[in-house]
Amino acid sequence: MHQSDRMSSSEQRAASSLAAVFAFRMLGLFMVLPVLATYGGSLAGATPLLIGVAIGAYGLTQAFLQIPFGMLSDRIGRKPVIVGGLILFALGGLLAAQADSMQGIILGRIVQGAGAIAAAVMAMVADLTREQHRTKAMAMIGMSIGVSFALAMVAGPLIAARTGLEGVFYATVILALIGIVLVIWVVPPVARAERHRDAGVIAASFWPSLRNPELLRLNYGIAMLHAILMASFVAIPLALQENAGLPRDDHWWVYFCALLVSFFAMVPFIIFAERKRQVKAVVLGAITLLVLVQPLLWLSANSLPWLVTAIVLFFIGFNLLEATLPSLLSKIAPAGGKGTAMGIYSTSQFLGAALGGVLGGAVFGAYGLGGVFACCAALGLSWLLIGVKMRQPAYVSSFRLPLPHELVRDEALLRRILAVPGVTEAVIVAEEAAAYIKVDTQVLDRQGLEHAVAAACNPDPVSPASITPHTGD
């Protein structure tokens, strides 16, 4: 393998350290989910509604600040924004750890959510990696999120069993401080922050993304998925403790088993979705599973074996959708608009989390466990009715191709690129001196694409390694 085909040591360090920073923050946010309903009930002012608000409160500030913070990082640099966000996250954890009322917990969660560093981290990954390795680096971030969620479901109950709810929040502070150390001393410096349309939000792409009906369906879907998750964590821990009789200190093994089984169960479906090009069928099937498992969660609440089975099925559906939807977005998003589409998608996710916490708490207070599961079923059904109308996506990969400045306004080059078999979409962005291209890798004439670009760049042809398509999935 040629040296350029491997990530450099600097790229590996950047990708792994930023993935760890992202994972530590998400671990801190998620650790609270399985314990807040069972440990927070003894706090002053605790009601089902306020417990639900506390569970989802981080989503509100996260939703409104992540895109502005990403744009701010374009102006003042990535590291100051990321470090500032982690400081806010640590302060929120301290507030929540020292709170003696549910209102204090809510305030802490709101401040934690204000440390919205996701967009800045993604942009920094793009700054520190070459085009041909960027997808691998982004995949490391995606994997770190999945791992952090799984660890949080187990670590939260284990920590709370020994140190109480405040110990969980102190753990989030420690994780934030470790993240700050990594950003300052381990993550390589960025020579010059640039805007990357596949990793950051571009104002000119914002309204086209909002008007795209396929992206709107996806944004609604991710909002409903996280609304269902947050509402469920108002009810599931209480069902395990009060109905099935499992002490709250032992909840960790339920989540461990559920996540372990769900991981292995979802892999064949992901492979089937991509290889057989059946992502729409897999997504609709997973949504249907989420809808159908809600009555099972309610009916099995008094039987621990059946309740654990229902929780396993819930996580199979949830994790399958969580893994598949970003891949679907990368297929749907227009060339040069993936970063903006992802920013809106993430904002929708966090708004859904905030909505789900409030809904779950309010419905539990009024109608109990059955009401929460019925509400989740209704949310899932609304998504299914909207999702069934989505188009079968084109199975394409996307990449960014730097161009010499003298070619950025060459309309003939754009026509030659679009004429290559397998190229489905292309756009040249003059201010970035780059082309964003989407291709069907199964029919792409790679040699033809190389020749099209090399002919325009002659006598200094582009290296084939720099234009080898790589997926954004």
Side-chain angles (χ1 to χ4, degrees):
M1 181 180 289
H2 192 273
Q3 183 65 30
S4 65
D5 293 332
R6 293 195 297 264
M7 295 181 77
S8 67
S9 59
S10 177
E11 288 174 318
Q12 291 174 353
R13 181 158 59 100
S16 58
S17 56
L18 286 170
V21 169
F22 213 111
F24 288 152
R25 184 177 179 279
M26 299 310 291
L27 180 59
L29 284 174
F30 288 141
M31 275 199 303
V32 180
L33 295 186
V35 299
L36 197 50
T38 51
Y39 284 83
S42 60
L43 291 171
T47 65
L49 174 59
L50 291 184
I51 288 173
V53 171
I55 286 174
Y58 80 94
L60 196 61
T61 43
Q62 179 89 10
F64 285 110
L65 292 176
Q66 66 149 347
I67 290 179
F69 276 17
M71 291 181 169
L72 181 63
S73 75
D74 291 334
R75 294 179 174 274
I76 69 172
R78 312 296 187 205
K79 284 195 175 185
V81 170
I82 296 172
V83 170
L86 289 171
I87 290 172
L88 281 174
F89 185 68
L91 289 175
L94 281 175
L95 285 173
Q98 297 174 4
D100 55 6
S101 68
M102 187 53 64
Q103 289 85 350
I105 297 288
I106 292 171
L107 177 61
R109 292 283 280 173
I110 289 173
V111 175
Q112 281 189 317
I117 62 172
V121 169
M122 292 299 188
M124 194 170 191
V125 171
D127 289 332
L128 293 173
T129 55
R130 288 169 290 167
E131 300 294 334
Q132 62 266 37
H133 300 307
R134 192 155 299 146
T135 296
K136 287 182 279 187
M138 295 296 185
M140 291 173 67
I141 298 271
M143 290 175 61
S144 75
I145 295 172
V147 171
S148 66
F149 179 76
L151 288 175
M153 293 298 100
V154 177
L158 287 174
I159 294 173
R162 288 159 179 77
T163 62
L165 185 59
E166 64 273 16
V168 177
F169 283 110
Y170 279 124
T172 69
V173 176
I174 294 172
L175 291 170
L177 295 177
I178 295 173
I180 291 172
V181 170
L182 287 175
V183 173
I184 295 176
W185 284 289
V186 180
V187 176
V190 175
R192 184 167 65 93
E194 297 181 359
R195 291 189 177 185
H196 300 269
R197 289 173 175 249
D198 277 351
V201 175
I202 303 298
S205 300
F206 192 80
W207 289 115
S209 293
L210 283 179
R211 292 195 301 265
N212 186 313
E214 296 301 314
L215 289 176
L216 284 175
R217 288 190 185 95
L218 200 56
N219 295 335
Y220 182 82
I222 193 63
M224 291 303 98
L225 182 63
H226 280 261
I228 290 170
L229 178 69
M230 296 302 158
S232 296
F233 272 101
V234 175
I236 287 176
L238 294 174
L240 284 169
Q241 177 178 281
E242 297 178 5
N243 294 72
L246 183 68
R248 63 187 184 181
D249 294 352
D250 295 331
H251 287 193
W252 67 270
W253 69 259
V254 175
Y255 301 122
F256 176 78
C257 293
L259 288 162
L260 185 65
V261 172
S262 68
F263 173 78
F264 288 105
M266 74 178 184
V267 171
F269 293 102
I270 293 175
I271 294 173
F272 173 77
E274 294 299 327
R275 290 188 178 174
K276 300 298 182 181
R277 301 197 166 192
Q278 292 294 323
V279 66
K280 177 180 177 180
V282 169
V283 167
L284 294 179
I287 300 171
T288 302
L289 176 59
L290 275 187
V291 173
L292 294 178
V293 81
Q294 301 304 322
L296 182 59
L297 284 165
W298 178 43
L299 295 172
S300 63
N302 295 315
S303 169
L304 184 59
W306 280 107
L307 182 56
V308 171
T309 301
I311 293 171
V312 169
L313 293 173
F314 173 84
F315 276 111
I316 290 174
F318 174 82
N319 286 331
L320 181 55
L321 288 164
E322 188 79 349
T324 305
L325 293 184
S327 173
L328 186 56
L329 180 140
S330 71
K331 292 175 174 61
I332 295 172
K338 188 173 70 176
T340 303
M342 182 59 76
I344 297 171
Y345 171 92
S346 298
T347 298
S348 303
Q349 170 185 323
F350 294 122
L351 286 174
L355 172 66
V358 173
L359 270 180
V363 173
F364 183 86
Y367 302 105
L369 286 176
V372 175
F373 296 132
C375 178
C376 289
L379 293 176
L381 185 59
S382 72
W383 180 13
L384 185 62
L385 294 174
I386 291 174
V388 76
K389 298 179 181 179
M390 73 176 179
R391 297 175 182 174
Q392 188 71 253
Y395 286 78
V396 293
S397 305
S398 60
F399 64 99
R400 180 179 183 269
L401 174 62
L403 298 173
H405 285 279
E406 61 269 18
L407 295 179
V408 296
R409 302 191 186 279
D410 185 352
E411 295 183 3
L413 172 60
L414 181 60
R415 288 195 297 271
R416 283 195 295 270
I417 291 174
L418 289 170
V420 173
V423 174
T424 62
E425 192 178 350
V427 61
I428 294 177
V429 182
E431 59 268 27
E432 294 184 30
Y436 291 86
I437 306 173
K438 301 189 76 170
V439 302
D440 184 333
T441 55
Q442 290 190 3
V443 299
L444 175 67
D445 180 0
R446 297 191 181 194
Q447 189 174 19
L449 181 58
E450 291 170 13
H451 287 165
V453 179
C457 296
N458 191 50
D460 184 22
V462 175
S463 167
S466 70
I467 63 173
T468 300
H470 52 83
T471 65
D473 300 354

